[in-house]
Amino acid sequence: MPILKYALLGLLFPITVLGGELRQVRVEKDLPYLGADRKEKLDLYTPADPQPSERFPGVVIIHGGGWVGGDKGARREQNIGTTLAAHGYVCISINYVLATEGHPTWPKNLQECKRAVQPLRKNADELHVDPRYVGVIGGSAGGHLATMVGLTGPDAGLDPT
């Protein structure tokens, strides 16, 4: 039952770390993460004015919407990003390719979610992220994709190229 153990820890973790003084939050919208030619972008939520030596956990927020709808800028995703950043997290809320009639997107949507982790690690110094602590969260379809990001390794053949 190791998966259940970690799932329960994931539910308890935010409760134990979201205490303390709230910080001001900086938000940057519509930043490219899949290439400048792609319409899917990310929104960045960071604690404002970090100290030079401060490092924060990173979180990728994946929206729900049945794999055919939803948006990184929805009220729920903005609330999650702002709340976590105010408590000392660096968050990116992403859009990913959505399926349309006759055009399924699996596994491309998962690969794009996996690629979203890379900017947090690649730009860790600039963003004040501790690359050892990067998580992924989402609701509904976003929860499915977040789970798949966490549970599929290179041997599954689902990593982006």
Side-chain angles (χ1 to χ4, degrees), residues 33-34 38-41 62-72 94-100 103-116 141 145:
Y33 80 103
L34 296 170
R38 293 290 302 274
K39 67 178 182 174
E40 294 83 11
K41 308 285 186 207
I62 305 173
H63 69 77
W67 306 280
V68 297
D71 187 74
K72 66 178 173 49
I94 64 165
N95 277 338
Y96 53 88
V97 65
L98 299 174
T100 58
H103 296 93
T105 57
W106 181 263
K108 187 174 182 181
N109 52 4
L110 172 61
Q111 292 166 341
E112 291 178 0
C113 293
K114 286 177 170 259
R115 284 193 54 201
L145 291 168

Side-chain angles (χ1 to χ4, degrees), residues 73-87:
R75 183 182 301 260
R76 175 176 61 182
E77 283 67 28
Q78 288 182 37
N79 185 32
I80 293 168
T82 303
T83 301
L84 288 175
H87 284 89

Side-chain angles (χ1 to χ4, degrees), residues 10-23 57 59 79-91 137:
L11 292 173
L12 296 175
F13 184 70
I15 295 168
T16 60
V17 298
L18 290 181
E21 186 178 321
L22 294 179
R23 302 178 71 119
V59 177
N79 185 32
I80 293 168
T82 303
T83 301
L84 288 175
H87 284 89
Y89 290 77
V90 173
C91 301
I137 61 173

Side-chain angles (χ1 to χ4, degrees), residues 7-51:
L8 291 175
L9 287 175
L11 292 173
L12 296 175
F13 184 70
I15 295 168
T16 60
V17 298
L18 290 181
E21 186 178 321
L22 294 179
R23 302 178 71 119
Q24 294 294 315
V25 174
R26 185 179 61 149
V27 180
E28 295 180 55
K29 298 223 176 237
D30 298 322
L31 303 172
Y33 80 103
L34 296 170
D37 59 327
R38 293 290 302 274
K39 67 178 182 174
E40 294 83 11
K41 308 285 186 207
L42 67 81
D43 293 343
L44 174 66
Y45 299 82
T46 60
D49 302 321
Q51 297 299 310

